[in-house]
């Protein structure tokens, strides 16, 4: 029953991530016009004339979907074991995208985040955790510790998908007539992170990947 529950959960998560990745692509497509008063930019008029901020913004939005899609193979143990060469290629794309492109970009964007100090600190902590989990995953696979590598890659992908959770929470609960936008935005940054980390904890516990339960095994 436990393995069936995990499979159902992973399948549901996979469908949701694919669905929201498609929706994000649709949302991102509006920014190809490079106009400064559309979508999210309409709420960032105080920084849209800053060329550095705009560069990092475009770098982030046009690359984050690739991170989401590159992380999808983690939901299939069979894929990971039967397609090791492809898994390594996809893994490198995911890692380089995060560490070289998105972590630096999100750090700059986080400094100008909506939500005041609550939103700014939330985004910066997410960015630090994103880098830490991803680097830890790299270091463990270099040591041949596949289980710890998988654990940290799941945690890394947990941070990657906070963008999806953030939008789900906002669409479900935000009411512009009842909520202060800045406060809701800042609290939602933290809510998305805690929700995802809790889900990751449940997955890691079910798969016995938590510290103290990890059975170290080497790569073939």
């Amino acid at each position: 029953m436990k393995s069936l529950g995990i499979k159902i959960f992973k399948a549901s998560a996979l469908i949701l991530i694919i669905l929201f990745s498609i929706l994000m692509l649709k949302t991102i497509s509006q920014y190809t016009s490079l106009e400064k008063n559309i979508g999210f930019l309409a709420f960032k008029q105080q920084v849209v004339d800053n060329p550095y901020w705009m560069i990092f913004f475009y770098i982030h939005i046009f690359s984050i979907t690739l991170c989401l899609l590159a992380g999808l193979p983690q939901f299939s143990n069979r894929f990971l074991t039967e397609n090791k060469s492809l898994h390594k290629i996809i893994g490198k794309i995911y890692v380089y995208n995060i560490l070289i492109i998105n972590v630096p970009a999100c750090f700059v964007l986080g400094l100008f985040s909506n939500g005041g100090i609550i939103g700014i600190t939330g985004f910066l902590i997410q960015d630090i955790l994103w880098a830490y989990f991803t680097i830890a995953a790299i270091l463990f696979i270099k040591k041949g510790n596949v289980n710890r590598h998988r654990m940290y890659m799941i945690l890394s992908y947990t941070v990657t998908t906070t963008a999806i959770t953030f939008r789900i929470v906002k669409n479900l609960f935000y009411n512009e007539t009842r909520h202060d936008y800045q406060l809701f935005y800042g609290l939602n940054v933290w809510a998305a992170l805690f929700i995802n980390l809790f889900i990751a904890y449940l997955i890691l516990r079910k798969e016995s990947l938590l510290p103290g339960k990890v059975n170290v095994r080497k790569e073939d």
Side-chain angles (χ1 to χ4, degrees), residues 25-42:
L25 282 172
K26 183 179 179 181
T27 301
I28 289 170
S29 65
Q30 67 183 316
Y31 298 112
T32 56
S33 66
L34 301 182
E35 295 180 13
K36 297 182 179 180
N37 60 347
I38 57 175
F40 176 74
L41 294 178

Side-chain angles (χ1 to χ4, degrees), residues 7-196:
K7 289 180 180 179
I8 293 174
F9 178 82
K10 286 184 176 181
S12 300
L14 178 62
I15 293 171
L16 280 174
I17 291 172
I18 292 175
L19 176 61
F20 276 92
S21 294
I22 294 172
L23 292 176
M24 286 185 69
L25 282 172
K26 183 179 179 181
T27 301
I28 289 170
S29 65
Q30 67 183 316
Y31 298 112
T32 56
S33 66
L34 301 182
E35 295 180 13
K36 297 182 179 180
N37 60 347
I38 57 175
F40 176 74
L41 294 178
F43 299 95
K44 303 295 294 184
Q45 291 300 298
Q46 72 275 22
V47 290
V48 293
D49 291 324
N50 183 324
Y52 299 105
W53 188 92
M54 290 297 293
I55 288 172
F56 284 116
F57 172 75
Y58 285 121
I59 287 173
H60 172 59
I61 63 170
F62 290 131
S63 62
I64 188 61
T65 303
L66 183 59
C67 287
L68 290 169
L69 296 176
L72 289 178
Q74 293 189 83
F75 288 88
S76 173
N77 292 329
R78 183 174 180 179
F79 175 87
L80 296 178
T81 56
E82 295 182 0
N83 301 275
K84 290 186 177 181
S85 296
L86 183 58
H87 167 56
K88 289 181 179 180
I89 293 173
I90 294 175
K92 287 180 179 179
I93 293 173
Y94 176 83
V95 167
Y96 291 149
N97 193 323
I98 290 175
L99 296 182
I100 297 178
I101 299 175
N102 272 287
V103 164
C106 288
F107 182 82
V108 174
L109 295 177
L111 293 175
F112 298 90
S113 169
N114 291 332
I117 190 65
I118 298 175
I120 291 173
T121 54
F123 271 120
L124 292 180
I125 287 176
Q126 281 188 19
D127 203 43
I128 292 170
L129 290 175
W130 208 12
Y132 172 74
F133 291 150
T134 306
I135 292 172
I138 296 170
L139 295 177
F140 275 113
I141 198 59
K142 287 184 177 295
K143 296 178 181 178
N145 193 327
V146 178
N147 284 325
R148 282 293 177 89
H149 167 73
R150 179 165 171 75
M151 181 185 79
Y152 279 105
M153 283 302 288
I154 289 174
L155 289 170
S156 171
Y157 198 61
T158 291
V159 181
T160 302
T161 53
T162 52
I164 292 177
T165 307
F166 180 92
R167 284 161 178 79
I168 292 175
V169 173
K170 181 182 177 182
N171 290 334
L172 288 177
F173 299 107
Y174 178 66
N175 186 318
E176 61 181 8
T177 62
R178 296 181 180 179
H179 300 126
D180 177 87
Y181 176 78
Q182 291 294 330
L183 179 60
F184 184 93
Y185 192 102
L187 293 176
N188 193 11
V189 172
W190 285 93
L193 178 60
F194 284 132
I195 290 170
N196 280 25

